[in-house]
């Protein structure tokens, strides 16, 4: 059975990669020149000092599913497949002073695409946790204690 027939019949025996990412990375749906409904997904830069525009790829909106807990989405892609990823690149300026942009594209294996989109899981949270603990201790020392109110019951007032 050919690969395209296998995917048309369900593709249950083909290994897949599940990619989880935030809803904020999914753009608005649009119609391609061929008439297909597509949506653009952004890939944040992994390095904090990388200030280039984010890479993007497009998929059918039906491939992206909402996570049952709210803010996340997920999608499945074939493990042995590739996805075209592109990024806008500044070429220079024209004679009127406007920026001239082009697109740099490359094919990425879906397993690498998963690691690119889920790079936030690998970031160290040590600095965030230490900042939080120092703020909590500072707030505990600086917070004045409120006077306690006496509990009045109906029986005590009679």
């Amino acid at each position: 059975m050919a690969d395209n027939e296998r995917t048309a019949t369900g593709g249950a025996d083909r290994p897949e990669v599940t990619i989880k990412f935030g809803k904020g990375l999914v753009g608005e749906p649009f119609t391609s020149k061929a008439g297909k409904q597509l949506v653009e997904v952004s890939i944040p830069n992994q390095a904090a000092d990388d200030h280039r525009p984010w890479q993007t790829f497009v998929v059918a909106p039906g491939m992206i599913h909402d996570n049952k807990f709210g803010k996340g989405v997920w999608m499945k892609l074939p493990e042995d497949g590739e996805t075209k990823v592109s990024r806008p690149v500044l070429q220079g300026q024209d004679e009127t002073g406007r920026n001239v942009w082009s697109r740099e594209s490359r094919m990425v294996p879906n397993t690498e695409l998963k690691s690119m989109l889920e790079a936030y899981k690998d970031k160290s949270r040590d600095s965030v946790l230490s900042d939080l603990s120092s703020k909590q201790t500072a707030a505990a020392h600086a917070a004045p204690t409120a006077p306690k109110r006496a509990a009045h019951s109906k029986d005590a007032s009679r």
Side-chain angles (χ1 to χ4, degrees):
M1 183 183 292
D3 281 342
N4 58 358
E5 292 173 357
R6 191 175 314 164
T7 56
T9 59
D13 57 344
R14 190 171 184 183
E16 294 181 324
V17 174
T18 302
I19 304 173
K20 299 175 184 176
F21 51 98
K23 279 185 183 179
L25 299 177
V26 180
E28 293 294 320
F30 65 93
T31 305
S32 70
K33 292 178 184 177
K36 292 183 178 181
Q37 280 290 107
L38 298 172
V39 66
E40 186 175 52
V41 178
S42 299
I43 305 169
N45 294 331
Q46 293 177 0
D49 59 345
D50 187 1
H51 299 293
R52 297 178 298 170
W54 288 0
Q55 297 182 65
T56 60
F57 65 96
V58 293
V59 294
M63 293 179 69
I64 299 176
H65 308 283
D66 285 337
N67 192 353
K68 67 179 180 179
F69 299 113
K71 295 185 181 177
V73 293
W74 59 274
M75 63 184 282
K76 286 191 177 190
L77 293 173
E79 187 175 349
D80 58 350
E82 290 186 322
T83 303
K84 183 177 181 180
V85 174
S86 63
R87 159 190 330 252
V89 177
L90 183 63
Q91 292 296 102
Q93 293 185 338
D94 62 4
E95 57 276 351
T96 62
R98 289 186 171 182
N99 290 340
V100 177
W101 294 87
S102 65
R103 292 201 75 78
E104 171 186 280
S105 299
R106 64 188 177 109
M107 295 302 286
V108 175
N110 290 339
T111 53
E112 184 181 336
L113 183 66
K114 175 183 173 75
S115 66
M116 290 167 62
L117 271 168
E118 295 181 354
Y120 66 91
K121 292 180 180 180
D122 298 333
K123 288 187 179 178
S124 173
R125 296 179 53 111
D126 293 339
S127 62
V128 174
L129 293 175
S130 64
D131 288 349
L132 180 62
S133 64
S134 65
K135 286 181 182 178
Q136 286 176 342
T137 56
H141 293 299
T145 57
K148 294 185 179 179
R149 295 176 45 188
H152 295 288
S153 66
K154 292 183 181 180
D155 294 334
S157 62
R158 288 188 188 164

